[in-house]
DNA sequence: AATTCGGGGAG
DNA sequence: CTCCCAGAATT
């Protein structure tokens, strides 16, 4: 009786017929383009990345354009994509490639993984996709496929589980068609071996899949332990001058929204006192907007926006590199935190959400 | 080993 | 609402 074809053979044959072959970053083996796509795709779905990728490549077509750009403009093109350290590291790495590799990407796993923002899996993916070498990947898709196929128990966030999955990935990755195999495994996880209701009937490696034999593919990989997410509170002071511009501050590099521009966050500070402090003038009016919730992966942030009308422009106080008056009509090339984008849009269109309680005896202008 | 980094797609 | 996405860096 005929032996069952090797794992990678079945995966590759399936890929040739059913894999994804038309994603934007598959049109070229240019290491720069491969690299940008890999970074954007970290913890981010393909559908979300595509428009960002197109705009980014149009503005930064090669590694020199990126290395020489203003960080604000890089973050501008990352606004809304999240995990902004990726963008900061991306530009740092571009500068390393420019300065230490003469503008040519290194073709070794060690050198790639030495660049900021490139870890073990991303380095393996670039090695295969851009250089045709045997690079091994272990992303969310591959983890799911392998955990099911070998019935690896436990949450991959645990080191032992993670290491076991890497071991299997190493073992199964073939010595041929490296780029296609990696793409095939990701396609398998993204289109067939999905988190819920996997289509085992169409899977090329279902015959020896242990989870399927057990009848419980949904049990793999193990789920992350639940934790109740903490709720933090903050207020955004939206100071608007007579020209209609909004006061923004650049956030420090480590921390949430690092490098992005945001409304000043105020704890318990009194808005009128803050205004006097920063602008040397009492606000003409203070208007509290309704509180809304912005949720991160590890906590909720309840934000109370407070609109202050600053009567006179105060020129002398501004530190140009970390404070600015934002003109909505000019669309400055800077990175903005997602809730700030929403609030600026509301301020521009005048569609302020049913203004809440007035916190000042003075009426809205 | 555990935390910290976003925002949204899809159920 | 929940779960998690082509993970890496930091503590």
């Amino acid at each position: 009786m005929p032996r069952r074809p090797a794992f990678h053979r079945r995966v590759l044959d399936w890929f040739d017929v059913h894999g994804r072959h038309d994603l934007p970053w598959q049109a070229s083996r240019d290491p720069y383009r491969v690299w940008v796509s890999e970074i954007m795709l970290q913890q981010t779905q393909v559908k979300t990345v595509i428009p960002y990728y197109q705009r980014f490549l149009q503005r930064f077509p090669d590694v020199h354009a990126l290395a020489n750009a203003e960080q604000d403009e890089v973050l501008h093109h990352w606004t809304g994509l999240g995990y902004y350290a990726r963008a900061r590291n991306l530009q740092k790495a571009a500068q390393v490639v420019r300065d230490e590799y003469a503008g040519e990407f290194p073709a070794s796993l060690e050198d790639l993984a030495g660049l900021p923002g490139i870890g073990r899996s991303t380095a393996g993916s670039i090695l295969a996709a851009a250089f045709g070498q045997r690079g091994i990947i272990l992303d969310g898709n591959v983890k799911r496929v392998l955990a099911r196929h070998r019935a690896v128990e436990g949450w991959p966030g645990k080191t032992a589980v993670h290491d076991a999955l890497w071991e299997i990935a190493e073992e199964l990755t073939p010595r041929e068609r490296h780029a296609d195999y990696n793409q095939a495994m990701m396609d398998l996880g993204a289109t067939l071996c999905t988190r819920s209701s996997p289509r085992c009937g169409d899977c090329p490696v279902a015959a020896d899949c242990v989870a399927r034999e057990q009848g419980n593919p949904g049990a793999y990989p193990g789920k992350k332990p639940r934790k109740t997410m903490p709720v933090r509170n903050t207020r955004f002071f939206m100071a608007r001058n007579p020209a209609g511009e909004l006061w923004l501050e650049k956030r420090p590099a480590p921390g949430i929204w690092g490098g992005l521009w945001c409304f000043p966050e105020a704890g318990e500070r009194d808005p009128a006192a803050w205004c006097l402090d920063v602008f040397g003038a009492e606000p003409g009016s203070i208007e509290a907007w309704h509180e809304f919730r912005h949720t991160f992966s590890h906590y909720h942030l309840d934000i109370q926006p407070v609109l202050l009308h600053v009567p006179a422009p105060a020129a002398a106080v501004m530190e140009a590199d970390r404070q600015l008056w934002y003109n909505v009509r000019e669309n400055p090339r800077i990175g903005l935190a997602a809730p700030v984008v929403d609030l600026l849009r509301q301020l521009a269109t005048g569609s302020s959400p049913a203004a809440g309680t007035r916190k000042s005896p003075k009426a809205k202008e």
Side-chain angles (χ1 to χ4, degrees):
Chain A
M1 56 195 296
R3 278 179 57 83
R4 182 161 47 225
F7 181 89
H8 71 268
R9 180 69 56 197
R10 285 175 282 155
V11 169
L12 284 165
D13 286 347
W14 172 85
F15 172 73
D16 289 336
V17 179
H18 299 103
R20 296 177 290 185
H21 298 86
D22 298 309
L23 297 171
W25 41 87
Q26 293 179 313
S28 165
R29 295 195 212 296
D30 175 11
Y32 173 75
R33 293 183 170 241
V34 169
W35 168 55
V36 171
S37 73
E38 293 295 339
I39 301 301
M40 283 191 172
L41 286 161
Q42 287 170 0
Q43 295 291 282
T44 311
Q45 295 187 354
V46 166
K47 184 176 182 178
T48 302
V49 164
I50 288 175
Y52 282 89
Y53 179 79
Q54 308 277 28
R55 287 194 295 267
F56 197 93
L57 263 293
Q58 185 165 343
R59 171 58 188 86
F60 310 109
D62 55 52
V63 69
H64 288 96
L66 178 57
N68 298 336
E70 293 287 334
Q71 187 195 62
D72 277 332
E73 183 156 14
V74 176
L75 289 170
H76 177 71
H77 287 269
W78 213 272
T79 291
L81 197 54
Y83 285 150
Y84 299 96
R86 292 185 296 173
R88 301 195 303 269
N89 285 332
L90 193 71
Q91 190 181 25
K92 276 186 213 160
Q95 291 164 352
V96 171
V97 170
R98 178 195 62 191
D99 298 336
E100 299 182 19
Y101 292 98
E104 298 293 328
F105 277 83
S108 80
L109 189 71
E110 295 72 21
D111 286 348
L112 284 170
L115 294 170
I118 300 182
R120 183 176 176 181
S121 183
T122 299
S125 191
I126 296 173
L127 198 61
F131 299 107
Q133 300 184 37
R134 184 170 180 266
I136 298 169
I137 65 168
L138 188 66
D139 72 333
N141 291 309
V142 178
K143 286 176 190 167
R144 188 168 51 252
V145 172
L146 298 183
R148 285 172 176 170
H149 197 261
R150 297 288 182 89
V152 178
E153 301 196 26
W155 174 51
K158 306 296 283 185
T159 303
V161 179
H162 196 243
D163 290 348
L165 291 172
W166 266 111
E167 190 98 9
I168 298 171
E170 297 265 4
E171 172 195 333
L172 291 177
T173 299
R175 262 74 181 177
E176 56 172 320
R177 296 187 65 185
H178 308 116
D180 284 347
Y181 175 79
N182 287 350
Q183 186 64 48
M185 289 296 286
M186 291 188 285
D187 289 356
L188 209 49
T191 66
L192 278 190
C193 195
T194 51
R195 179 167 64 85
S196 55
S197 50
R199 293 159 47 197
C200 300
D202 298 327
C203 180
V205 293
D208 49 349
C209 178
V210 181
R212 181 173 186 254
E213 188 179 326
Q214 294 175 348
N216 61 345
Y220 304 92
K223 294 186 194 307
K224 178 180 182 173
R226 286 251 70 71
K227 271 171 57 177
T228 58
M229 292 216 293
V231 180
R232 303 181 193 178
N233 289 275
T234 191
R235 288 184 299 166
F236 282 177
F237 281 171
M238 307 187 296
R240 183 159 61 184
N241 67 20
E245 301 164 328
L246 283 304
W247 180 260
L248 298 182
E249 295 179 350
K250 189 176 174 112
R251 300 179 63 95
I256 201 81
W257 295 326
L260 301 188
W261 294 77
C262 186
F263 294 112
E265 280 197 79
E268 301 304 315
R269 192 94 162 85
D270 177 68
W274 174 82
C275 190
L276 184 60
D277 222 32
V278 175
F279 303 110
E282 293 272 356
S285 67
I286 299 173
E287 180 183 330
W289 287 16
H290 81 270
E291 185 178 88
F292 65 96
R293 172 166 291 188
H294 185 79
T295 299
F296 299 104
S297 46
H298 48 305
Y299 65 93
H300 300 286
L301 185 62
D302 284 343
I303 301 169
Q304 159 100 71
V306 179
L307 178 61
L308 301 106
H309 291 237
V310 180
V317 299
M318 190 168 70
E319 300 175 45
D321 56 337
R322 54 176 293 271
Q323 297 171 325
L324 61 77
W325 284 108
Y326 184 92
N327 187 326
V328 177
R329 290 177 299 281
E330 291 176 355
N331 187 26
R333 324 305 295 187
I334 60 177
L336 297 170
V340 175
V341 172
D342 283 338
L343 289 166
L344 285 171
R345 186 179 302 119
Q346 293 171 26
L347 288 160
T349 62
S351 67
S352 70
T357 58
R358 299 289 191 278
K359 307 203 85 170
S360 163
K362 298 185 178 182
K364 180 181 170 188
E365 69 175 0

